Amino acid sequence: MFLHTVYSEDIQSEDGRFTKVTPWGEHRMNVDNPDAAIQYEPGKSYYLNFTPAE
């Protein structure tokens, strides 16, 4: 599975506002568990949140 950056120069859109104020990049992950993999639909956008680990 390859996730790509959602980037928009349209600052009126939610993605454009997010792009303007937030660092962005790419994240790649492997999902080996078929039951977990079906939760991700190809072509659909997802937010990725980073939470500090303790």
Side-chain angles (χ1 to χ4, degrees):
M1 172 183 297
F2 181 71
L3 304 176
H4 67 280
T5 301
V6 175
Y7 174 83
S8 175
E9 292 183 7
D10 176 10
I11 61 170
Q12 300 302 315
S13 72
E14 182 178 354
D15 289 333
R17 290 189 303 273
F18 183 82
T19 299
K20 184 82 172 157
V21 299
T22 307
W24 51 276
E26 294 183 4
H27 172 73
R28 186 182 296 229
M29 70 179 188
N30 236 356
V31 181
D32 251 359
N33 180 337
D35 291 332
I38 61 171
Q39 296 180 55
Y40 300 99
E41 296 177 38
K44 191 171 181 180
S45 296
Y46 295 90
Y47 288 111
L48 176 64
N49 298 311
F50 290 96
T51 304
E54 298 195 19

